[in-house]
Amino acid sequence: MLRPKEVCQRLGISYPTLREYVKKGYIKPVILQSGKWRFNEEDVEKLMGIVKRRKVVLYARVSSKQKDELVNQVKYLEEQVKEYDLVITDIGSGLNMKRKGFLKLLRMILNNEVSRVVIAYPDRLVRFGFEILEETCKAHGCEIVVLNQEEKEEELVEDLISVLVSFSEKLHGMRSHEYEKVKKCAEELKN
């Protein structure tokens, strides 16, 4: 007998979805005296055949200065992984969390549509916070497979410069804004 949490993990679905399956009659729970649900393993296996198969996704990303490299990265991923369902690509910085392909992939993971994401390097998905994304994937029954553990140093330098430029612009903007406030206060005190 399986608990609802175990059934959800096996099927790659959420608890509300499991309740909906019970309501529609796709699977029937055994109700214990305590009122808790348990499920027969055979019923879950039958349902696994009904629930749509989860996808294996290849994800490739390059910075805007390396557009030509994107084709090579996709080709490398396709050579390494013979069976996959979808290729998602992005051109942009690893610091930009609003990349269209990345957001599409994230939505698919959160909807339990992906069983495995394959990337060439750890920094292809995100430059910072890879561990958080990895834990999120695990919680949704998705595995991240990194083919090469080394990071691309050129892009790391580009991203570091990008962060420094962004912070210095914000800092400069804050200082000039603060200067204007002080100047205005000084003029009011004069009058």
Side-chain angles (χ1 to χ4, degrees):
M1 299 292 272
L2 299 172
R3 296 171 183 249
K5 182 179 180 180
E6 296 167 321
V7 174
C8 289
Q9 287 174 339
R10 285 192 185 188
L11 296 175
I13 60 174
S14 65
Y15 187 73
T17 302
L18 178 62
R19 279 197 320 257
E20 197 63 30
Y21 284 1
V22 170
K23 192 186 293 182
K24 290 181 179 177
Y26 296 158
I27 189 168
K28 192 171 185 171
V30 174
I31 302 173
L32 303 177
Q33 284 181 340
S34 63
K36 295 183 179 183
W37 287 357
R38 296 295 181 266
F39 295 87
N40 290 317
E41 211 161 331
E42 302 82 40
D43 293 341
V44 174
E45 288 174 7
K46 285 179 190 173
L47 190 57
M48 287 174 81
I50 297 171
V51 175
K52 65 180 176 179
R53 191 175 81 76
R54 298 173 74 191
K55 294 176 174 59
V56 173
V57 177
L58 306 181
Y59 180 82
R61 180 196 60 80
V62 294
S63 68
S64 55
K65 295 178 183 177
Q66 299 175 320
K67 290 180 182 177
D68 300 335
E69 180 62 28
L70 187 60
V71 174
N72 295 334
Q73 195 178 131
V74 170
K75 185 178 175 184
Y76 171 73
L77 289 169
E78 290 174 334
E79 288 171 356
Q80 297 299 313
V81 182
K82 299 300 179 198
E83 292 185 31
Y84 60 91
D85 301 294
L86 180 64
V87 177
I88 296 177
T89 60
D90 269 325
I91 297 175
S93 169
L95 296 173
N96 179 4
M97 300 301 281
K98 294 182 181 177
R99 298 182 313 268
K100 286 182 182 178
F102 175 74
L103 292 175
K104 176 183 178 180
L105 176 63
L106 188 57
R107 273 188 228 101
M108 290 174 68
I109 291 167
L110 295 175
N111 289 329
N112 298 313
E113 297 174 23
V114 180
S115 64
R116 184 176 300 133
V117 177
V118 183
I119 53 176
Y121 299 96
D123 63 354
R124 296 300 87 190
L125 284 172
V126 290
R127 176 60 71 189
F128 302 109
F130 182 80
E131 294 80 14
I132 294 169
L133 185 61
E134 196 170 35
E135 285 301 313
T136 303
C137 287
K138 281 182 191 175
H140 289 273
C142 178
E143 173 190 18
I144 299 176
V145 177
V146 181
L147 299 177
N148 297 310
Q149 290 300 322
E150 63 195 49
E151 291 193 17
K152 294 226 171 204
E153 288 182 27
E154 319 85 58
E155 279 197 35
L156 184 60
V157 171
E158 280 180 34
D159 287 345
L160 183 58
I161 290 169
S162 167
V163 167
L164 289 173
V165 167
S166 175
F167 280 124
S168 66
E169 286 173 349
K170 286 180 182 177
L171 188 60
H172 177 69
M174 285 171 58
R175 284 186 180 151
S176 64
H177 181 68
E178 289 297 316
Y179 174 74
E180 290 301 320
K181 273 184 170 178
V182 170
K183 187 176 170 183
K184 187 177 179 181
C185 285
E187 287 176 11
E188 287 177 3
L189 288 173
K190 271 186 191 177
N191 298 333

